Amino acid sequence: MSQSPGSFTPFDLILQQTLPGDPERQTLVTTLQAIEQGGRKISALLQRGPLLGITGSAHAQNVQGEEVQAMDQIGQETFLTLFRKSGSVLGVLSEEAEHPDIFPVTQPAPCLVAMDPLDGSSNLSVNAPVGSIFALFRPVSQNASRSGETLFIESSSNLIAAAYLLYSVSTTLVLAIGEEAHSFTLDPSTGEYLGSGVPLRFPEGGKIYSANEGYLPVWEKPLQQYMSWIKTDRNPPLILRYIGALVGDFHRNLLKGGIYLYPADIRNGTKSSGKLRLLYEAYPMAYIARLSGGIATDGTAPILSIRPRSVHQRVPLIVGPLDLVREFHDRTGSPLD
Ligand code: AHG
Ligand code: MN
Ligand code: MN
């Protein structure tokens, strides 16, 4: 490792993982600058949130029919504005907007961004961790006559990078690109994001599971049996940790070794599609997991093999290190091949 710990930046990672003549290199640099800038702004706002009166509900509903917190809207506007200005982002799909936004671009190889601008927003009112999630795609075309929906759906197999920001005691940026995922910490005094240069890797033998077990009665039988097994008969048993923000739960599990589960449920005989969204929650976490030695599935198939039918599609999500996800699949009757 040529860099000393703490001097490795997201820019270094992009240079390391792309080739000099690749026009996508500049797009990645510019788009990452927008994510970093947005992260600095949201992080600073969140630190003063209650003082600014921005943790409460905005008394509106997003396209999922959920109550929008004021901070959801600030996150949406912040990142949308930065991506529009970047010249490197052709389109943005967001949890907070029904239709994707399409922008004029100045870069020769622009990207598409699918984002959850504020993940876990119900944590805000109790000063618990929240995040922002991003998936970057290579567009199949820059033809303006296509609808944004079609563009995102057709480009969904061209994932080129994924990132999240975790706003907690400190602000963390995790970026996955090429063959590696890295973690960086925001230094609020300089605005820099600094990492060790050592790629992230799920540890083996993790002992954590993360799920909202309050839903146990509406889960399928094999899943209920697995839940009982990990606590009683498994050696060693798994212990529960649940923050209630995907970014926070995933990040802890990535560092400590743990499996995250947000399965489908069955109510009145109807099986749900899960809660989390495929393009801007499951895909980016699946990509980061893959580059960190893990895997994400919907309980049957790898997340990254699922092609969306609609841009806000929901999926069940099981994600973590290969050993724990493989064990889950073996015990619930859908072994990974
Ligand atoms: P969002 O705030 O973007 O709607 O996401 C909330 C998600 C996810 O972050 C979290 O893991 C999950 O909802 C928690 O759901 P439950 O409250 O049902 O456990
Ligand atoms: Mn979310
Ligand atoms: Mn959100």
Side-chain angles (χ1 to χ4, degrees), residues 24 90-91 102 108-113 136-160 307-308:
E24 231 162 50
L90 175 63
I102 302 295
C111 66
L112 298 170
V113 179
L136 277 59
F137 302 89
R138 181 182 304 124
V140 287
S141 137
Q142 291 186 46
N143 183 344
S145 68
R146 279 169 199 251
S147 77
E149 275 82 356
T150 308
L151 191 55
F152 270 91
I153 287 170
E154 291 184 355
S155 307
S156 63
S157 54
N158 300 340
L159 196 47
I160 53 170
R307 296 281 78 85

Side-chain angles (χ1 to χ4, degrees), residues 177-311:
I177 179 170
E179 296 184 350
E180 293 180 4
H182 285 251
S183 175
F184 307 89
T185 303
L186 171 63
D187 181 340
S189 66
T190 62
E192 279 190 297
Y193 290 82
L194 298 171
S196 67
V198 178
L200 289 164
R201 209 74 208 156
F202 278 104
E204 282 179 27
K207 296 181 186 61
I208 292 172
Y209 75 102
S210 310
N212 188 337
E213 246 181 316
Y215 300 126
L216 190 81
V218 289
W219 286 343
E220 289 182 293
K221 200 92 205 148
L223 178 59
Q224 291 176 341
Q225 286 163 346
Y226 164 82
M227 282 294 173
S228 162
W229 176 77
I230 56 178
K231 286 172 287 191
T232 50
D233 296 330
R234 190 183 189 279
N235 185 20
L238 299 184
I239 55 159
L240 172 65
R241 291 287 182 273
Y242 193 67
I243 290 170
L246 173 63
V247 172
D249 283 306
F250 178 90
H251 189 69
R252 183 208 44 249
N253 292 351
L254 175 56
L255 299 188
K256 291 200 165 179
I259 183 169
Y260 177 90
L261 308 105
Y262 208 112
D265 56 36
I266 302 175
R267 292 170 203 258
N268 305 319
T270 305
K271 189 171 172 181
S272 77
S273 312
K275 176 180 184 185
L276 301 173
R277 292 62 159 202
L278 179 61
L279 284 176
Y280 42 85
E281 291 182 316
Y283 262 37
M285 293 315 187
Y287 191 81
I288 293 165
R290 189 171 76 185
L291 269 50
S292 308
I295 188 170
T297 78
D298 68 351
T300 310
I303 289 289
L304 294 174
S305 73
I306 301 170
R307 296 281 78 85
R309 293 177 306 281
S310 61
V311 290

